[in-house]
């Protein structure tokens, strides 16, 4: 028979087994900065991320390279204008974005998925919404950040052209007017491209798929519209050319600026939409931007559940 041996130590009373350990946590008694601060922080972080700032060196290469590619042709144009003592710049301010639209499309395709696809892939979106930030805050911050990044990308070469034109002692009033028109044009382009890029990227957590989808939408629509416009013009149906231009983002921007900003159109024959047709272009552009925002809101209300 087993015999129990007493250790001589009395068993602790049930109440003595409770222990309180101080592990260093303290209540936060600082200021509560709220939704506005969270929204600004998300905007700032997303804008910096669009150029790889605060990220690895590898993430900086492509956006910075595309930024340089956008600015170098403008610098060359300025150098030629100064060297030849030209009376005007060889390229209008409003034409720069149209000429460089392939570079702009590549930038949108690379940075829109970076902005939203990673959040979807790592399932961090519900974490954002678990605190004061709401769906509208997230969407507005991401939309504004990518649009701002695009505006920087497209406005920088215009600034190079403007400063160079002033150094070449070209007419100040004409150059200022052209520069202002160019800024209006690229602001519309930035909002339109940012909305389209984010909507496409928000439907896939795979960055590679997002890049391919954005490039396909922006380039295929432009190629198809340009081809159809050329065919219509060759067959004598020039009245159909402006209406065909409504089916591509870059031709929508081209139509708006040629109708209201005095720009030379890239449409066949160099003839853009009339003022009445330009109103339709403006309505379509605004409608696409609003629709993009609405689709993003609906998408992230589902994701955040």
């Amino acid at each position: 028979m087993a015999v129990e041996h007493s250790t001589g130590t009395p068993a602790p009373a049930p109440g003595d087994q409770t222990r309180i350990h101080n592990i260093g946590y303290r209540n936060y008694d600082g200021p509560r900065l709220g939704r506005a601060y969270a929204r600004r922080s998300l905007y700032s972080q997303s804008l910096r991320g669009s150029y790889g700032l605060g990220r690895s060196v590898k993430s900086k290469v492509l956006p910075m390279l595309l930024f340089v590619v956008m600015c170098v042709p403008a610098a060359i144009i300025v150098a030629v204008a100064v060297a030849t003592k030209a009376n005007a710049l060889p390229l209008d301010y409003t034409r720069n974005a149209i000429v460089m639209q392939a570079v702009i499309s590549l930038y949108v395709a690379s940075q829109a998925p970076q902005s939203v696809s990673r959040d979807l892939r790592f399932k961090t979106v519900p974490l954002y919404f678990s605190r004061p930030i709401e769906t509208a805050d997230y969407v507005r911050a991401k939309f504004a950040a990518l649009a701002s990044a695009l505006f920087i990308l497209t406005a920088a070469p215009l600034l190079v052209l403007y400063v160079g034109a002033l150094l070449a002692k070209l007419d100040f009033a004409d150059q200022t007017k052209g520069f202002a028109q160019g800024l209006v044009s690229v602001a519309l382009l930035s909002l339109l491209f940012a909305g389209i890029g984010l909507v496409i990227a928000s439907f896939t957590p795979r960055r590679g798929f997002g890049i391919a989808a954005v490039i396909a939408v922006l380039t295929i629509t432009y190629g198809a519209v340009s081809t159809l416009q050329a065919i219509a013009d060759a067959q004598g149906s020039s009245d159909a050319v402006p209406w065909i231009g409504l089916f591509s983002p870059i031709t929508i921007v081209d139509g708006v600026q040629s109708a209201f900003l005095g720009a030379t159109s890239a449409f066949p024959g160099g003839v853009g939409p009339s003022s009445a047709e330009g109103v339709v272009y403006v309505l379509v552009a605004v409608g696409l931007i609003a629709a993009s925002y609405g689709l993003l809101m609906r998408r992230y209300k589902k994701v955040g559940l």
Side-chain angles (χ1 to χ4, degrees):
M1 177 181 295
V3 179
E4 294 184 358
H5 297 281
S6 174
T7 60
T9 303
D16 294 339
Q17 297 178 3
T18 303
R19 297 288 186 271
I20 298 177
H21 299 277
N22 183 3
I23 58 177
Y25 288 114
R26 293 186 300 174
N27 292 331
Y28 176 75
D29 54 4
R32 303 287 179 173
L33 301 178
R35 289 176 55 191
Y37 179 81
R39 186 168 55 244
R40 289 195 301 269
S41 298
L42 183 58
Y43 166 79
S44 175
Q45 181 268 338
S46 300
L47 178 58
R48 286 167 53 84
S50 296
Y51 285 95
L53 302 178
R55 300 173 61 204
S56 64
V57 175
K58 181 180 178 181
S59 300
K60 296 179 176 67
V61 173
L62 183 58
M64 293 300 182
L65 178 61
L66 294 176
F67 183 83
V68 171
V69 170
M70 286 291 294
C71 292
V72 167
I76 295 173
I77 290 171
V78 166
V80 171
V82 172
T84 60
K85 298 181 179 180
N87 296 323
L89 292 174
L91 181 68
D92 293 337
Y93 293 97
T94 50
R95 289 286 301 152
N96 185 75
I98 305 301
V99 173
M100 303 297 291
Q101 59 92 16
V103 179
I104 298 170
S105 298
L106 182 58
Y107 181 86
V108 177
S110 63
Q111 298 310 311
Q114 183 276 138
S115 182
V116 296
S117 294
R118 295 171 74 245
D119 290 342
L120 295 172
R121 182 177 181 182
F122 296 108
K123 303 185 186 302
T124 57
V125 175
L127 296 179
Y128 283 115
F129 299 159
S130 66
R131 286 301 179 184
I133 191 170
E134 296 181 0
T135 304
D137 301 316
Y138 181 88
V139 171
R140 289 169 189 167
K142 292 292 185 178
F143 202 133
L146 186 56
S148 299
L150 275 168
F151 184 77
I152 293 171
L153 180 78
T154 53
L158 301 186
L159 182 61
V160 172
L161 290 173
Y162 181 64
V163 172
L166 297 183
L167 292 176
K169 299 181 179 180
L170 301 181
D171 185 76
F172 175 79
D174 288 344
Q175 297 305 315
T176 302
K177 178 181 178 182
F179 179 58
Q181 291 173 336
L183 290 180
V184 172
S185 175
V186 298
L188 175 62
L189 182 145
S190 300
L191 290 170
L192 185 58
F193 275 47
I196 294 173
L198 288 174
V199 167
I200 296 171
S202 69
F203 281 92
T204 174
R206 301 291 182 137
R207 186 180 177 186
F209 291 163
I211 292 173
V214 173
I215 290 177
V217 169
L218 295 179
T219 58
I220 291 176
T221 56
Y222 178 70
V225 165
S226 298
T227 301
L228 292 175
Q229 285 179 324
I231 293 173
D233 184 66
Q235 293 181 348
S237 302
S238 57
D239 292 341
V241 170
W243 302 111
I244 297 174
L246 292 169
F247 294 93
S248 169
I250 194 66
T251 53
I252 289 175
V253 175
D254 190 336
V256 171
Q257 67 180 19
S258 62
F260 298 111
L261 300 178
T264 302
S265 178
F267 290 3
V271 179
S274 63
S275 297
E277 293 167 339
V279 172
V280 178
Y281 271 73
V282 172
L283 293 175
V284 170
V286 173
L288 284 174
I289 295 170
S292 298
Y293 178 79
L295 287 171
L296 286 170
M297 287 290 292
R298 292 182 60 185
R299 171 63 175 157
Y300 281 98
K301 282 181 179 178
K302 294 180 180 179
V303 173
L305 294 177

